[in-house]
Amino acid sequence: MPTSTGVNWAEIVRFPTTHPHYKEYEQRCIDARLQRSFIQDSWELIIRGLQRRAEFMEAGAWNLRVPEFVALDKLLSPRAKTLMMPSVSGTPLALWSGGIQVSQYVRGKGYDTLESTVYGGILDKMTNPGFKIWLGSEDWGPQGALWDTISARYVEFAASCRDTMHVFMRTHDLESTFYGEELVNWRKAKRKKETEPDGLTYHVLVGMDSFNVEKVFVREKEAKAFLLTFLGQLQSRFERNMLEQGVNHRYRSEVWRDNERAYRDTLRKKTYESYREYMEHPLRQTVEAFHEAEQALCPDKDFNPRKFSSVMDELLRTTRAKRGE
């Protein structure tokens, strides 16, 4: 696993405080009035935990718990009321899934998210948009496990003092933090079975940049059904009428701009399997055919699905080469 340019990651793992951005983390924590013992202990656990998770991933041991992150969770637990809740009390709490743009949308609507909490805000500023903590490679790598750890504590504490949280979704991804961690932890904290109403309020976002539709549900099953039905109908309609003359091709292209943005938002987080599924899906050829027809009617160079597909092709070639396929 190649490290970021000009960084001796192995040396940083041995001596975490030599990390080039440790001072920034330290200052942000001091500004939040956190104790120096917590600052140093948490930093060492984060750095060594990221390395351990990277080793697990490389060995294919995806389900092993990271001991350092278990210890980090124990460090956060007695401080959860201070660290894992927003600084302003009483605001509605939210979870999100579908790219960082969804988080920005949610906070713009007046909801607080994990990134709004004291500690979540510190880590957010150091992982978005650039990676300042994980320097073991230039991709998202093991950082998801770190966010899963603090998200679990956030959801557990929220469940202890709130009757509901609001979930904003524009994708249905079973590998996402929401489905893999947050929903499970909320139901566990509320002692709810999968078949029972879980108390969460679901907001399905359809075309954040084009349709701008938000539908609210009180059951995950209904929210999921609406989202998947919409996406299925959209795909079917496009395949039937993609090249039909006299339709508003420009309006339809906005849907694909949404799709491109969603991929760009989560580009570094997607798995190899996700890319392979995207590349092998027949919808890709349909989009390319549609783009050619649209360009003939109304040229626009802002978004080119074919160019985007070429990026995916190159990524797949690189990934396969690394895996020796």
Side-chain angles (χ1 to χ4, degrees):
M1 179 181 294
T3 60
S4 297
T5 306
V7 172
N8 187 338
W9 178 250
E11 188 72 8
I12 290 173
V13 173
R14 289 183 62 199
F15 306 104
T17 55
T18 64
H19 191 294
H21 297 293
Y22 170 67
K23 289 298 182 183
E24 178 182 345
Y25 176 81
E26 181 183 45
Q27 189 58 54
R28 290 187 182 280
C29 289
I30 290 173
D31 292 344
R33 299 183 179 181
L34 301 182
Q35 296 177 343
R36 290 191 177 274
S37 59
F38 171 86
I39 296 171
Q40 186 163 347
D41 290 346
S42 62
W43 182 255
E44 290 181 359
L45 291 172
I46 288 172
I47 297 302
R48 290 171 178 158
L50 288 171
Q51 176 58 25
R52 179 96 62 177
R53 176 60 178 170
E55 293 168 0
F56 286 171
M57 292 170 65
E58 193 167 351
W62 295 88
N63 295 324
L64 284 182
R65 300 182 72 188
V66 178
E68 290 82 359
F69 289 165
V70 173
L72 177 64
D73 181 61
K74 291 180 180 178
L75 193 64
L76 291 171
S77 181
R79 302 170 174 84
K81 185 175 182 179
T82 301
L83 298 182
M84 305 312 301
M85 289 296 285
S87 55
V88 179
S89 61
T91 54
L93 302 182
L95 304 169
W96 55 270
S97 183
I100 193 65
Q101 189 180 9
V102 180
S103 174
Q104 295 164 352
Y105 170 86
V106 171
R107 282 178 278 174
K109 297 272 286 186
Y111 294 83
D112 278 326
T113 66
L114 173 57
E115 294 82 4
S116 308
T117 66
V118 173
Y119 198 59
I122 291 171
L123 294 185
D124 180 50
K125 291 180 178 67
M126 299 196 69
T127 56
N128 179 55
F131 305 153
K132 294 182 179 180
I133 300 178
W134 165 246
L135 302 178
S137 68
E138 295 184 353
D139 57 20
W140 178 249
Q143 295 176 93
L146 170 61
W147 280 99
D148 287 348
T149 300
I150 65 169
S151 175
R153 182 55 56 193
Y154 166 62
V155 170
E156 182 178 317
F157 188 78
S160 71
C161 60
R162 298 292 178 93
D163 293 329
T164 189
M165 294 182 79
H166 296 260
V167 182
F168 289 79
M169 309 166 58
R170 73 166 171 178
T171 59
H172 182 259
D173 182 1
L174 293 178
E175 296 178 359
S176 65
T177 296
F178 171 69
Y179 273 105
E181 299 289 337
E182 293 168 341
L183 180 57
V184 174
N185 290 326
W186 173 269
R187 286 173 172 168
K188 182 179 178 181
K190 290 295 189 182
R191 298 181 180 179
K192 296 290 185 179
K193 296 180 181 179
E194 189 174 338
T195 54
E196 294 181 281
D198 51 34
L200 293 171
T201 303
Y202 294 87
H203 302 246
V204 176
L205 305 177
V206 175
M208 286 178 60
D209 303 308
S210 53
F211 296 112
N212 197 26
V213 172
E214 181 179 322
K215 296 282 286 185
V216 181
F217 301 87
V218 294
R219 287 177 176 266
E220 185 271 338
K221 184 177 180 180
E222 294 173 356
K224 177 172 62 180
F226 175 82
L227 179 59
L228 294 180
T229 298
F230 168 79
L231 294 175
Q233 289 178 347
L234 183 67
Q235 176 179 327
S236 176
R237 190 180 307 123
F238 268 49
E239 289 177 345
R240 287 198 312 268
N241 304 320
M242 187 72 75
L243 303 179
E244 180 182 338
Q245 296 295 317
V247 297
N248 189 340
H249 291 274
R250 178 54 52 80
Y251 180 71
R252 290 182 177 181
S253 72
E254 286 299 318
V255 177
W256 297 109
R257 285 190 177 87
D258 272 359
N259 183 62
E260 189 267 348
R261 289 187 185 102
Y263 266 94
R264 186 176 61 206
D265 286 342
T266 55
L267 180 63
R268 290 169 291 189
K269 301 181 185 179
K270 288 293 182 182
T271 62
Y272 168 75
E273 288 75 16
S274 298
Y275 283 124
R276 183 173 61 189
E277 181 180 351
Y278 168 77
M279 293 300 297
E280 294 177 352
H281 198 287
L283 190 58
R284 174 190 168 202
Q285 285 73 34
T286 307
V287 173
E288 290 184 355
F290 164 62
H291 178 67
E292 290 179 359
E294 185 195 33
Q295 290 294 79
L297 292 172
C298 189
D300 179 4
K301 297 181 180 180
D302 288 345
F303 172 50
N304 188 332
R306 178 167 294 172
K307 181 178 179 182
F308 184 66
S309 295
S310 297
V311 174
M312 296 296 101
D313 278 325
E314 180 60 31
L315 179 62
L316 280 175
R317 280 194 293 270
T318 303
T319 305
R320 285 169 177 156
K322 289 180 180 178
R323 295 188 175 208
E325 295 183 7

